[in-house]
Amino acid sequence: MATFHSTAPPLIPFPDNLTVPQFFLDGRVSHPTEPIVAKNIPCMIDESNGRRIYLSELRTRTDCLARTLKQKWKLDDGSIVALISPNHIDYGVCCWAVHRVGGSVALVNPSLTEDEIAYHFQLAKPALVISFVEVYDLVLKAASNVNIPKTNIIVLDNDGNATFSTVPTIAKLINEGTGFLPIEDRPLAPREARIKMAFLCFSSGTTGKPKAVVISHYNIICNVLQCATFLRVNDPSLPKEQVRHGPGDVCTGVLPFYHIYGLVFGLHFAIYTKATIVLAQKFDFGKMLASIRQYRISHLLIVPPMAVLISKHPAAEKADLSSVKFCLIGGAPVSAELSKQLLARIPDIQLGQAYGMTESCGGVSLTPTNQQVGTLGSGGQLLSGTTAKLVKPDGTLAKVGEPGELYVHGGQVTLGYYQNPSATRETFLEGGWIRTGDEVILKENGDLFIIDRLKELIKVKASQVAPAELEGHLLEHPDVADVGVIGVPDDYSGELPFAYVVLQPQLAELVTKDAKLAAQIKERLFKHVSSAKSKEKWLAGGIGFIDVVPKSQSGKILRRFLREKAAESLRTRAKL
């Protein structure tokens, strides 16, 4: 078999002329997977104060904000708005309001440094910026670096922060919107949703600087429906013990919505399936455990570091986790060992794993409902409406059980990298295929196993770190002659950046005789990175000195040898 097709229920066609808010807020089309409920279920509960938000209020707040944005800033079709915020009750409202006026939203990580934020602004060129209150001053500085005026920056606060009495805030703009005329929100032209940009989500590339992935309205809707179809949501013939999602579910809301996993599954899928999201502005393990007990959370949507805490942290051993019936782990590979440890802590739950990437709008594979616990180490099986092929190094196609680079085809495949045609051509291929850069094996039953990462990205928690970016920065330091960066395993973060540094000749000789000097140089190099880069890029995995960085004849760093060297050092230390 050269091409692999999903064995899940087929994806039932749906209109391709609707925007994200028209589909999720307005319910302009009925799909067999959508649950119909008689009672009013809250879409969100604010973990900080217990406030409940229902679909009707989300729709009203969205419409009022859209009116004000159009009236005051003249936003219209093609406008880009940057949103830089952690999770917030109005995060979705900000996105959907921009969609209502025909614009798109660039989702920016609020933990970035000033220079990193400025780079994202320079790439997206937003007409307007919505900034969370706690990073407002940083955003102001970054915006000024790229000539975005202060008058085009709005604060996303907590409903009326007195500090911003003279600055436009989302809460004020929503209130003002009640006085403006409604916006005429017509459906798009046929097939327009497939090509109309809804979001820019940032993804690191092997060349170092992040790229902006263009995600269409159709991509978001399609991936949610692929997941719902695959998981047989609202299927009356599904055995009760296999029912995984439906009205009344209460989900953790700790996944950041600026990350594709949180955006698609943590926000839009949860709203579609009539679940309630217990929204956390930032991840706090103690608060999450308290919320599980207080709100009887049934669904844990988490990443591997959170699974490690649940498995090993003493607080989890004492916590009331009796309400949990399902746990989905995504964002990074999950080892069989971690899955076993989690099941030891919360036995009898359904445990699923997911595989995907920003360029595929999130999901490519999930654990099927007929597996109470997904095959250990597997990323699940291909979603409904998804086709895959595995390409060997010689260009031939792998068969069942043979390794090859995973290529994916389906409605979730995004439109490419924003204003970067050369990078788009490398990853997005003719015919709607995308190269994942992951070497995988597909088993006879459809289970997908990731066996190697062909691309060079380091996965820190759910964030992508490009070694080339850190190498370029380290080479600016006067002590460094050459450098190679790799990811080293870490129980909590999955991987951490580790730098093998070739020192300038005079220093290289000195550090072999002076351990104190060696430690000082490592500290200098660590600070060189930590003072300029966001936390996930810090060299928390360590710094080692090496005589020469192994490279191919073409000059490409042979990271496999560096990883082997690091593994050998780890084994040696373990024996001591």
Side-chain angles (χ1 to χ4, degrees):
M1 181 187 297
T3 304
F4 300 86
H5 298 274
S6 172
T7 58
L11 180 63
I12 295 174
F14 56 95
D16 54 9
N17 67 335
L18 297 178
T19 66
V20 166
Q22 286 171 350
F23 183 85
F24 291 99
L25 299 186
D26 303 345
R28 296 198 186 187
V29 65
S30 177
H31 194 271
T33 58
E34 183 176 10
I36 305 299
V37 293
K39 62 178 181 177
N40 203 6
I41 297 173
C43 292
M44 299 178 187
I45 298 175
D46 190 332
E47 182 187 67
S48 65
N49 56 25
R51 177 186 172 193
R52 283 166 162 75
I53 305 292
Y54 294 83
L55 186 65
S56 58
E57 184 175 357
L58 288 177
R59 187 186 304 116
T60 298
R61 293 177 74 81
T62 295
D63 292 348
C64 288
L65 180 58
R67 297 175 195 179
T68 309
L69 293 178
K70 189 170 185 65
Q71 183 74 21
K72 289 197 164 188
W73 283 275
K74 311 302 180 187
L75 295 186
D76 55 15
D77 195 60
S79 297
I80 296 177
V81 174
L83 173 57
I84 177 164
S85 173
N87 289 359
H88 190 283
I89 286 292
D90 283 327
Y91 195 102
V93 168
C94 292
C95 296
W96 303 322
V98 174
H99 294 157
R100 287 281 201 222
V101 300
S104 55
V105 188
L107 305 180
V108 183
N109 182 343
S111 69
L112 297 178
T113 66
E114 178 187 330
D115 288 344
E116 289 170 331
I117 294 170
Y119 173 79
H120 283 66
F121 288 168
Q122 194 171 33
L123 188 60
K125 295 180 173 57
L128 195 66
V129 176
I130 300 174
S131 168
F132 184 58
V133 58
E134 292 183 8
V135 295
Y136 177 71
D137 290 339
L138 189 68
V139 168
L140 274 182
K141 294 176 184 176
S144 68
N145 293 339
V146 292
N147 300 317
I148 296 174
K150 183 178 179 179
T151 52
N152 285 14
I153 301 176
I154 301 170
V155 172
L156 177 57
D157 65 350
N158 294 310
D159 285 337
N161 191 312
T163 307
F164 294 94
S165 57
T166 61
V167 177
T169 69
I170 292 299
K172 293 177 189 175
L173 299 181
I174 289 173
N175 289 334
E176 287 183 45
T178 59
F180 297 128
L181 292 174
I183 291 174
E184 188 176 7
D185 189 25
R186 294 180 177 178
L188 304 174
R191 297 186 62 83
E192 187 180 353
R194 294 177 181 264
I195 58 173
K196 185 172 180 59
M197 182 167 71
F199 295 100
L200 287 176
C201 288
F202 294 90
S203 174
S204 291
T206 58
T207 54
K209 293 289 189 179
K211 304 182 186 74
V213 179
V214 180
I215 297 174
S216 71
H217 290 268
Y218 184 88
N219 289 148
I220 296 285
I221 297 168
C222 180
N223 202 228
V224 167
L225 292 182
Q226 286 177 303
C227 292
T229 303
F230 179 89
L231 296 167
R232 299 176 65 182
V233 175
N234 203 40
D235 183 348
S237 68
L238 185 65
K240 185 177 180 180
E241 65 275 11
Q242 293 186 26
V243 173
R244 192 170 288 170
H245 297 277
D249 293 343
V250 184
C251 308
T252 51
V254 296
L255 299 173
F257 293 156
Y258 56 79
H259 188 280
I260 195 67
Y261 179 15
L263 180 68
V264 174
F265 211 86
L267 178 60
H268 290 95
F269 181 84
I271 288 175
Y272 180 74
T273 57
K274 309 299 189 288
T276 298
I277 308 161
V278 180
L279 197 69
Q281 220 162 71
K282 61 181 179 179
F283 174 65
D284 181 298
F285 186 57
K287 286 184 179 179
M288 188 180 82
L289 293 179
S291 290
I292 291 172
R293 176 187 56 78
Q294 180 178 355
Y295 298 111
R296 306 305 295 164
I297 288 175
S298 57
H299 285 56
L300 304 182
L301 309 179
I302 58 176
V303 291
M306 299 175 190
V308 171
L309 288 174
I310 295 171
S311 302
K312 297 184 177 182
H313 198 286
E317 188 174 356
K318 303 173 184 177
D320 179 3
L321 304 176
S322 59
S323 61
V324 177
K325 66 177 186 180
F326 172 66
C327 177
L328 177 67
I329 309 176
V334 184
S335 67
E337 292 75 15
L338 178 56
S339 296
K340 291 176 182 177
Q341 291 168 359
L342 187 63
L343 289 168
R345 179 57 53 88
I346 324 176
D348 302 323
I349 63 167
Q350 295 185 58
L351 177 59
Q353 297 177 31
Y355 167 78
M357 55 195 300
T358 308
E359 289 83 351
S360 67
C361 192
V364 169
S365 62
L366 276 172
T367 298
T369 57
N370 60 8
Q371 295 181 1
Q372 178 174 340
V373 175
T375 305
L376 297 183
S378 166
Q381 299 179 8
L382 295 175
L383 291 177
S384 300
T386 303
T387 304
K389 57 185 178 183
L390 307 183
V391 181
K392 296 180 180 180
D394 63 3
T396 61
L397 298 183
K399 300 176 182 178
V400 170
E402 295 181 342
E405 182 184 356
L406 177 64
Y407 287 43
V408 173
H409 185 279
Q412 72 269 55
V413 173
T414 57
L415 301 180
Y417 297 116
Y418 186 62
Q419 295 188 343
N420 194 335
S422 60
T424 297
R425 285 192 295 270
E426 291 175 5
T427 300
F428 296 84
L429 310 179
E430 290 185 7
W433 291 89
I434 184 174
R435 297 183 60 177
T436 67
D438 289 319
E439 187 176 28
V440 308
I441 287 176
L442 279 163
K443 299 291 189 178
E444 191 73 48
N445 71 340
D447 282 343
L448 180 151
F449 291 85
I450 303 168
I451 58 175
D452 197 11
R453 188 177 300 135
L454 301 176
K455 55 191 177 185
E456 298 177 340
L457 298 179
I458 302 168
K459 274 292 190 81
V460 182
K461 298 181 181 178
S463 299
Q464 297 176 336
V465 176
E469 178 182 358
L470 296 180
E471 288 158 358
H473 185 67
L474 284 164
L475 284 170
E476 295 174 358
H477 196 282
D479 292 347
V480 177
D482 200 2
V483 61
V485 175
I486 58 171
V488 293
D490 179 76
D491 284 345
Y492 178 67
S493 297
E495 289 183 305
L496 292 171
F498 184 103
Y500 275 111
V501 175
V502 178
L503 293 173
Q504 297 291 356
Q506 64 274 23
L507 280 179
E509 185 176 349
L510 290 174
V511 297
T512 60
K513 305 171 185 176
D514 189 339
K516 186 176 180 180
L517 176 62
Q520 290 173 345
I521 293 173
K522 288 181 180 181
E523 184 177 354
R524 288 203 297 261
L525 296 178
F526 184 89
K527 288 182 178 178
H528 179 67
V529 173
S530 64
S531 64
K533 301 294 180 181
S534 48
K535 193 169 183 179
E536 68 270 12
K537 298 173 186 176
W538 295 0
L539 298 175
I543 298 169
F545 298 135
I546 192 171
D547 294 333
V548 62
V549 174
K551 297 181 180 179
S552 67
Q553 289 183 346
S554 63
K556 183 179 177 64
I557 295 175
L558 300 174
R559 299 186 199 279
R560 177 170 57 86
F561 293 107
L562 295 180
R563 287 194 290 267
E564 290 173 356
K565 182 177 178 63
E568 180 58 35
S569 297
L570 190 63
R571 287 192 293 268
T572 301
R573 287 199 300 270
K575 293 176 182 178
L576 297 178

